[in-house]
Amino acid sequence: MKKLMAANWKMYKTRAEAKATAEDLMNRIDGKLPTDREVVIAAPYTALETVGSVLAGKQNCSLSAENLYPAEEGAYTGEISPRMLQDVGCVYALAGHSERRSIMGETDELVGEKVAFGLKNGLSMILCIGETIEERKAGEVQKVIDRQLEAGLKNVPADFASETVVIAYEPVWAIGTGEVAGEGEIVEAHGFVRKKLEKIFPEKANEIRILYGGSVKPGNCAQIIALDNVDGVLVGGASLDGESFSQIALA
Ligand code: PEP
């Protein structure tokens, strides 16, 4: 199983900025990325084609969208379909990032529809889950993970290839805050995710990658990816700079 080192650029970068960062990153990792590593860049829609052209032909480097809408086409102003994303070179899409859940009000059910629809239409899907600080303080971490996985993976086609489903455990209180979850907290949450995956997909659970996200930096990445059941990282702030993300990708 390849470790997945994913960048999430959120709503940052014009096309020129995106191109410069992607080129800088590729120059820094070129010929150095271990064969058991995969790099993914989730870029804003307007930069997808540009970043895709930089990644073209680079081994184990793929393009991702940060979102999608679960319909083929139609009267969905402001939305974008899996087919349109594939048309500009996307292999992956994120679903259920905590910013979309909290700011755009996405429900567990909508996130599940996005995951299933993306998979059925040829994308690999990165399902983001994680508890808020209030939920953690209330002792509800497992309850939240259980609910978000149950809904997020509902209707996933039974014959999916295990590398096309990725879970990103991102405790909301660790995203963009500089506060990384403790090693014990990560191991416990990822272990719980694995157990839940075993219940949902008994035959594929061990091949589904579970990423950690939340204030991953060059200085803490190596320790995090060495933990049990951590199959990669999803990185926001520290992925915006080519040098910083290259250190993470090669950690
Ligand atoms: C994210 O955007 O998914 C994320 C984890 O952000 P950061 O690395 O900045 O905490």
Side-chain angles (χ1 to χ4, degrees):
M1 187 194 307
K2 289 192 176 78
K3 291 238 193 243
L4 179 54
M5 317 304 274
N8 174 20
W9 286 356
K10 313 192 186 206
M11 197 176 74
Y12 291 99
K13 297 187 187 296
T14 61
R15 285 178 302 160
E17 290 162 352
K19 183 168 189 277
T21 306
E23 282 175 351
D24 183 34
L25 172 65
M26 287 302 118
N27 289 338
R28 289 175 188 276
I29 66 172
D30 199 26
K32 298 190 192 130
L33 193 66
T35 47
D36 61 352
R37 288 274 164 100
E38 186 180 352
V39 165
V40 165
I41 300 179
Y45 295 139
T46 49
L48 284 173
E49 196 166 6
T50 307
V51 174
S53 66
V54 177
L55 302 187
K58 308 280 187 210
Q59 233 189 346
N60 291 328
C61 295
S62 306
L63 185 66
S64 176
E66 299 175 11
N67 183 32
L68 59 74
Y69 191 74
E72 252 159 55
E73 60 183 6
Y76 303 103
T77 304
E79 295 297 338
I80 193 150
S81 72
R83 185 164 157 254
M84 292 164 173
L85 296 173
Q86 285 168 308
D87 186 44
V88 290
C90 286
V91 174
Y92 286 87
L94 307 184
H97 191 279
S98 73
E99 287 149 17
R100 296 208 59 84
R101 291 178 190 263
S102 67
I103 304 169
M104 280 72 179
E106 290 195 5
T107 61
D108 291 335
E109 288 66 35
L110 177 61
V111 172
E113 283 176 42
K114 291 182 180 201
V115 171
F117 195 81
L119 288 168
K120 280 178 195 148
N121 286 276
L123 286 167
S124 294
M125 295 301 300
I126 302 176
L127 167 63
C128 305
I129 59 167
E131 81 287 355
T132 62
I133 193 62
E134 292 77 21
E135 289 164 335
R136 175 162 283 271
K137 283 185 181 155
E140 292 175 349
V141 176
Q142 297 193 351
K143 187 174 144 199
V144 172
I145 293 177
D146 191 81
R147 191 194 72 227
Q148 292 182 339
L149 283 178
E150 195 73 47
L153 298 172
K154 205 173 165 188
N155 299 325
V156 162
D159 60 347
F160 75 94
S162 47
E163 68 276 11
T164 64
V165 172
V166 179
I167 310 299
Y169 169 67
E170 302 201 294
V172 179
W173 47 273
I175 297 180
T177 58
E179 196 182 337
V180 191
E183 293 192 358
E185 291 167 329
I186 299 175
V187 169
E188 197 180 355
H190 281 232
F192 185 76
V193 172
R194 186 74 71 201
K195 280 213 186 83
K196 182 73 187 170
L197 290 173
E198 279 161 11
K199 284 196 191 124
I200 307 178
F201 307 119
E203 275 149 36
K204 293 179 183 168
N206 286 333
E207 294 153 26
I208 294 177
R209 288 171 290 184
I210 308 173
L211 315 185
Y212 168 78
S215 298
V216 173
K217 305 272 181 265
N220 60 26
C221 184
Q223 294 97 288
I224 291 172
I225 58 171
L227 297 172
D228 272 359
N229 287 312
V230 178
D231 307 307
V233 285
L234 178 55
V235 187
S239 75
L240 292 168
D241 175 75
E243 181 178 9
S244 154
F245 192 61
S246 70
Q247 287 172 29
I248 289 171
L250 302 174

